[in-house]
Amino acid sequence: MSMIERIRSRRDANRRARAIERALRSASSPAVRDEILVIAQRHMH
């Protein structure tokens, strides 16, 4: 993997993490929060 690809994938991961954090903060119920985490974990792998 080239340096550029590594930086790009890290930036994408950071953007995804920030989007997930924002979704978790706006999630009203624990069930919604669990659902977001499940989706997030599926995307990480």
Side-chain angles (χ1 to χ4, degrees):
M1 189 191 275
S2 73
M3 198 67 187
I4 294 167
E5 284 175 334
R6 202 173 296 138
I7 291 169
R8 191 175 294 143
S9 68
R10 194 184 304 140
R11 196 168 52 215
D12 287 348
N14 286 341
R15 196 180 302 130
R16 232 188 332 263
R18 231 171 287 130
I20 290 163
E21 279 171 26
R22 203 176 312 127
L24 287 174
R25 247 179 263 127
S26 63
S28 48
S29 67
V32 173
R33 203 168 290 131
D34 286 346
E35 198 62 37
I36 293 166
L37 287 171
V38 167
I39 292 167
Q41 254 130 30
R42 202 174 300 140
H43 281 294
M44 292 303 178
H45 298 304

